[in-house]
mmCIF file with all atom_site columns, all heavy atoms in Angstrom:
data_model
loop_
_atom_site.group_PDB
_atom_site.id
_atom_site.type_symbol
_atom_site.label_atom_id
_atom_site.label_alt_id
_atom_site.label_comp_id
_atom_site.label_asym_id
_atom_site.label_entity_id
_atom_site.label_seq_id
_atom_site.pdbx_PDB_ins_code
_atom_site.Cartn_x
_atom_site.Cartn_y
_atom_site.Cartn_z
_atom_site.occupancy
_atom_site.B_iso_or_equiv
_atom_site.pdbx_formal_charge
_atom_site.auth_seq_id
_atom_site.auth_comp_id
_atom_site.auth_asym_id
_atom_site.auth_atom_id
_atom_site.pdbx_PDB_model_num
ATOM 1  N N   . ARG A 1 357 ? 20.930 -0.640  1.952   1.00 0.00 ? 652 ARG A N   1
ATOM 2  C CA  . ARG A 1 357 ? 20.007 -0.295  0.859   1.00 0.00 ? 652 ARG A CA  1
ATOM 3  C C   . ARG A 1 357 ? 19.607 -1.569  0.095   1.00 0.00 ? 652 ARG A C   1
ATOM 4  O O   . ARG A 1 357 ? 18.503 -1.770  -0.242  1.00 0.00 ? 652 ARG A O   1
ATOM 5  C CB  . ARG A 1 357 ? 20.716 0.642   -0.100  1.00 0.00 ? 652 ARG A CB  1
ATOM 6  C CG  . ARG A 1 357 ? 21.020 2.017   0.444   1.00 0.00 ? 652 ARG A CG  1
ATOM 7  C CD  . ARG A 1 357 ? 21.695 2.871   -0.700  1.00 0.00 ? 652 ARG A CD  1
ATOM 8  N NE  . ARG A 1 357 ? 20.700 3.160   -1.661  1.00 0.00 ? 652 ARG A NE  1
ATOM 9  C CZ  . ARG A 1 357 ? 20.109 4.322   -1.840  1.00 0.00 ? 652 ARG A CZ  1
ATOM 10 N NH1 . ARG A 1 357 ? 20.414 5.338   -1.053  1.00 0.00 ? 652 ARG A NH1 1
ATOM 11 N NH2 . ARG A 1 357 ? 19.231 4.514   -2.823  1.00 0.00 ? 652 ARG A NH2 1
ATOM 12 N N   . ARG A 1 366 ? 10.786 -8.976  -2.537  1.00 0.00 ? 661 ARG A N   1
ATOM 13 C CA  . ARG A 1 366 ? 10.247 -10.214 -1.989  1.00 0.00 ? 661 ARG A CA  1
ATOM 14 C C   . ARG A 1 366 ? 9.505  -9.906  -0.668  1.00 0.00 ? 661 ARG A C   1
ATOM 15 O O   . ARG A 1 366 ? 9.993  -10.133 0.387   1.00 0.00 ? 661 ARG A O   1
ATOM 16 C CB  . ARG A 1 366 ? 11.374 -11.192 -1.755  1.00 0.00 ? 661 ARG A CB  1
ATOM 17 C CG  . ARG A 1 366 ? 11.946 -11.683 -3.071  1.00 0.00 ? 661 ARG A CG  1
ATOM 18 C CD  . ARG A 1 366 ? 12.992 -12.759 -2.799  1.00 0.00 ? 661 ARG A CD  1
ATOM 19 N NE  . ARG A 1 366 ? 13.325 -13.386 -4.089  1.00 0.00 ? 661 ARG A NE  1
ATOM 20 C CZ  . ARG A 1 366 ? 14.416 -13.153 -4.811  1.00 0.00 ? 661 ARG A CZ  1
ATOM 21 N NH1 . ARG A 1 366 ? 15.212 -12.142 -4.472  1.00 0.00 ? 661 ARG A NH1 1
ATOM 22 N NH2 . ARG A 1 366 ? 14.670 -13.760 -5.945  1.00 0.00 ? 661 ARG A NH2 1
ATOM 23 N N   . ASP B 2 223 ? 21.676 -1.258  -5.260  1.00 0.00 ? 412 ASP B N   1
ATOM 24 C CA  . ASP B 2 223 ? 20.629 -0.203  -5.100  1.00 0.00 ? 412 ASP B CA  1
ATOM 25 C C   . ASP B 2 223 ? 21.188 1.224   -5.306  1.00 0.00 ? 412 ASP B C   1
ATOM 26 O O   . ASP B 2 223 ? 20.538 2.058   -5.837  1.00 0.00 ? 412 ASP B O   1
ATOM 27 C CB  . ASP B 2 223 ? 19.895 -0.326  -3.737  1.00 0.00 ? 412 ASP B CB  1
ATOM 28 C CG  . ASP B 2 223 ? 18.795 0.692   -3.679  1.00 0.00 ? 412 ASP B CG  1
ATOM 29 O OD1 . ASP B 2 223 ? 18.024 0.790   -4.604  1.00 0.00 ? 412 ASP B OD1 1
ATOM 30 O OD2 . ASP B 2 223 ? 18.767 1.397   -2.668  1.00 0.00 ? 412 ASP B OD2 1
ATOM 31 N N   . GLU B 2 233 ? 15.627 8.504   -6.530  1.00 0.00 ? 422 GLU B N   1
ATOM 32 C CA  . GLU B 2 233 ? 15.458 7.391   -5.568  1.00 0.00 ? 422 GLU B CA  1
ATOM 33 C C   . GLU B 2 233 ? 14.050 6.741   -5.977  1.00 0.00 ? 422 GLU B C   1
ATOM 34 O O   . GLU B 2 233 ? 13.048 7.433   -5.909  1.00 0.00 ? 422 GLU B O   1
ATOM 35 C CB  . GLU B 2 233 ? 15.469 7.955   -4.198  1.00 0.00 ? 422 GLU B CB  1
ATOM 36 C CG  . GLU B 2 233 ? 15.341 6.869   -3.081  1.00 0.00 ? 422 GLU B CG  1
ATOM 37 C CD  . GLU B 2 233 ? 16.666 6.299   -2.714  1.00 0.00 ? 422 GLU B CD  1
ATOM 38 O OE1 . GLU B 2 233 ? 17.501 7.033   -2.083  1.00 0.00 ? 422 GLU B OE1 1
ATOM 39 O OE2 . GLU B 2 233 ? 16.889 5.174   -3.023  1.00 0.00 ? 422 GLU B OE2 1
ATOM 40 N N   . GLU B 2 252 ? 17.874 -12.393 -9.615  1.00 0.00 ? 441 GLU B N   1
ATOM 41 C CA  . GLU B 2 252 ? 17.986 -12.763 -8.141  1.00 0.00 ? 441 GLU B CA  1
ATOM 42 C C   . GLU B 2 252 ? 17.602 -11.621 -7.161  1.00 0.00 ? 441 GLU B C   1
ATOM 43 O O   . GLU B 2 252 ? 16.838 -11.862 -6.256  1.00 0.00 ? 441 GLU B O   1
ATOM 44 C CB  . GLU B 2 252 ? 19.362 -13.231 -7.829  1.00 0.00 ? 441 GLU B CB  1
ATOM 45 C CG  . GLU B 2 252 ? 19.966 -14.223 -8.801  1.00 0.00 ? 441 GLU B CG  1
ATOM 46 C CD  . GLU B 2 252 ? 19.091 -15.481 -9.007  1.00 0.00 ? 441 GLU B CD  1
ATOM 47 O OE1 . GLU B 2 252 ? 18.728 -16.108 -8.007  1.00 0.00 ? 441 GLU B OE1 1
ATOM 48 O OE2 . GLU B 2 252 ? 18.807 -15.912 -10.183 1.00 0.00 ? 441 GLU B OE2 1
#
Side-chain angles (χ1 to χ4, degrees):
Chain A
R652 292 182 71 106
R661 291 183 166 100
Chain B
D412 182 49
E422 183 87 71
E441 313 302 312

